[in-house]
């Protein structure tokens, strides 16, 4: 669960925990000795070698961050997009774009491996058991893994012929396994309805500390759903922040409380608006029905923020299959007042505000993904890295 000392996430209906660590950095230059019993489908796949690349992706890499279009909302991920990218026909209205196709001749020699090697790498992933995967299931669906991996390379503008362990791990140990888990949850959800019944989209909640990559994960999952002809919608709790006027009123009503002076904590969200939005989205079950998704502009009013103008909100069309809803405090429940007061008296009001959040958000969520981190102090380091990068980009533009 989210690593905050004062707030604890709710128990999930269906969820798994993903532990983020330095595992891949530590293993990057080590040989991975994996022994896995082979299946017939892998032996068959081995007969046609597929070149894969092993190139590095670190937290400080700027390879996936174009020099334009930083995101103004927690769920728009516009900083991952570039005007030079080709619009994918299946992502109309979503803003998702594929990167250019790279030359099959990389600038420097690629480390070549076979489908067999990739299969072994996939099966060594830390999420195999958690998402219900087995070596046999991977072998039977290896073509899907290759397809998804290739598409993700284009999305993030990476050369699929030249990937190193951290990049392969991001796709084959993280994004694709989570996507397959989401597909299983959707299948289970849809099986509960009879033929002819309208099936509401499954709402999957993503709870994780700031900066650990939940928005990018949702961006990738949304893309994979769309290229497999499933309609999806993405939302962030950031999209439901109070307007600038509402935030000013909240500040006036809580003088001296630094935790409610700016957006972020419980109390700074427009809960009625969020309920209205989520309710409408879950009813988007028929072809032709359309709806705009709210977005928040964090750059407005010199960084204090305001709800973006509806003219720039992305539009989705039914029937929706899934709603991907992410946020750092999604699923949090209030603690006993005396416990909170002992930490910081200012938290009492925030803790009280949390009581209304279950009915506003959590009741819609039927499946959960909770991303864990080993050390909460990572959040500060990640924030520092992001702002350092932003300042570098601003300097380069001047």
């Amino acid at each position: 669960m989210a690593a905050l000392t004062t707030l604890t996430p709710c128990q999930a209906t269906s969820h798994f925990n993903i532990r983020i660590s330095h595992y891949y950095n530590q293993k990057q230059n080590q040989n991975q000795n994996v022994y896995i019993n082979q299946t017939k489908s892998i032996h068959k796949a081995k007969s046609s070698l597929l070149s894969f690349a092993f190139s590095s992706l670190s937290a400080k890499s700027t390879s996936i961050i174009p020099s334009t279009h930083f995101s103004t909302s927690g769920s728009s991920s516009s900083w991952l997009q570039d005007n030079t990218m080709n619009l994918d026909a299946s992502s109309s209205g979503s803003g998702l774009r594929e990167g250019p196709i790279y030359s099959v001749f990389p600038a420097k020699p690629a480390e070549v491996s076979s489908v067999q090697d990739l299969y072994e790498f996939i099966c060594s992933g830390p999420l195999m058991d958690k998402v219900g995967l087995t070596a046999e299931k991977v072998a039977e669906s290896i073509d899907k893994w290759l397809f998804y991996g290739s598409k993700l390379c284009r999305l993030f503008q990476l050369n699929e012929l030249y990937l190193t362990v951290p990049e392969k791990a991001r796709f084959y140990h993280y994004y694709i396994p989570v996507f397959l888990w989401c597909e299983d949850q959707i299948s289970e959800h849809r099986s509960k309805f009879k033929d002819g019944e309208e099936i509401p989209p499954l709402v999957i909640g993503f709870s994780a500390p700031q900066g650990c990559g939940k928005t990018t994960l949702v961006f990738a999952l949304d893309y994979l759903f769309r290229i497999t002809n499933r309609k999806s919608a993405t939302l962030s709790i950031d999209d439901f922040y109070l307007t600038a006027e509402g935030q000013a009123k909240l500040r006036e009503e809580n003088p001296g409380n630094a935790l409610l002076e700016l957006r972020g904590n419980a109390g700074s969200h427009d809960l009625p608006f969020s309920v209205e939005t989520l309710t409408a989205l879950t009813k988007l079950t028929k072809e032709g029905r359309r709806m705009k998704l709210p977005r928040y502009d964090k750059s407005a009013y010199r960084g204090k923020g305001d709800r973006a103008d509806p003219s720039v909100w992305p539009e989705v069309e039914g029937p929706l299959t899934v709603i991907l809803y992410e946020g750092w405090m999604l699923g949090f429940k209030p603690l006993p007042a005396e416990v909170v007061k002992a930490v910081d008296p200012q938290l009492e009001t925030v803790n009280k505000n949390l009581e209304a959040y279950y009915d506003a958000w959590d009741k819609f969520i039927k499946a959960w993904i909770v991303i864990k981190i080993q050390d909460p102090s990572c959040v500060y380091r990640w924030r520092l890295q992001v702002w350092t990068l932003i300042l570098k980009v601003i300097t380069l533009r001047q």
Side-chain angles (χ1 to χ4, degrees), residues 57-161:
L57 176 68
S58 67
K60 297 182 180 179
S61 172
T62 60
S63 63
I64 64 171
I65 304 178
S67 59
T68 58
H69 302 304
F70 281 91
S71 174
T72 57
S73 173
S75 60
S76 62
S77 297
S78 58
W79 58 275
L80 289 171
Q81 304 165 29
D82 185 17
N83 290 332
T84 62
M85 301 166 72
N86 302 316
L87 180 64
D88 184 83
S90 65
S91 62
S92 177
S94 69
L96 298 179
R97 298 172 181 267
E98 282 194 32
I101 301 175
Y102 286 87
S103 168
V104 295
F105 302 104
K108 50 185 176 179
E111 182 176 346
V112 178
S113 64
S114 66
V115 173
Q116 175 68 39
D117 294 330
L118 179 64
Y119 164 76
E120 293 180 354
F121 182 82
I122 292 170
C123 291
S124 70
L127 293 184
M128 285 284 289
D129 292 337
K130 290 181 180 292
V131 300
L133 287 172
T134 63
E136 290 74 20
K137 287 182 179 179
V138 173
E140 292 169 0
S141 59
I142 192 66
D143 288 343
K144 279 188 176 182
W145 288 81
L146 299 177
F147 173 75
Y148 296 152
S150 175
K151 289 295 185 178
L152 287 173
C153 284
R154 290 191 183 187
L155 178 64
F156 289 95
Q157 302 185 58
L158 302 173
N159 191 331
E160 66 181 291
L161 298 180

Side-chain angles (χ1 to χ4, degrees), residues 216-234:
T216 310
L217 170 63
V218 166
F219 173 72
L221 296 176
D222 182 49
Y223 177 75
L224 289 176
F225 277 118
R226 291 178 182 275
I227 65 171
T228 51
N229 298 316
R230 268 80 60 84
K231 294 179 180 179
S232 57
T234 63

Side-chain angles (χ1 to χ4, degrees), residues 27 30 56 58 64 68 87 152 167 169 182 190 196 263 278:
K27 296 294 184 181
Q30 299 178 12
S56 68
S58 67
I64 64 171
T68 58
L87 180 64
L152 287 173
E167 249 171 17
C182 289
R190 298 180 73 85
R263 67 178 185 268
L278 289 166

Side-chain angles (χ1 to χ4, degrees), residues 263-283:
R263 67 178 185 268
N265 288 307
S268 63
H269 300 88
D270 188 337
L271 296 186
F273 177 56
S274 65
V275 171
E276 177 187 334
T277 302
L278 289 166
T279 300
L281 273 177
T282 57
K283 293 180 179 179

Side-chain angles (χ1 to χ4, degrees), residues 277-341:
T277 302
L278 289 166
T279 300
L281 273 177
T282 57
K283 293 180 179 179
L284 211 62
T285 58
K286 292 184 178 179
E287 195 78 36
R289 288 185 179 178
R290 296 176 179 270
M291 177 178 168
K292 285 194 169 185
L293 302 177
R295 291 295 184 255
Y296 189 82
D297 184 0
K298 294 181 179 179
S299 67
Y301 293 96
R302 297 184 177 181
K304 289 185 177 181
D306 194 8
R307 189 168 300 153
D309 189 276
S311 63
V312 301
W313 294 2
E315 188 177 66
V316 292
E317 181 182 357
L320 287 182
T321 299
V322 63
I323 299 169
L324 308 174
Y325 188 28
E326 56 99 351
W328 72 272
M329 56 174 284
L330 205 59
F332 283 13
K333 285 184 175 180
L335 292 175
E338 61 273 13
V339 175
V340 172
K341 187 175 181 180

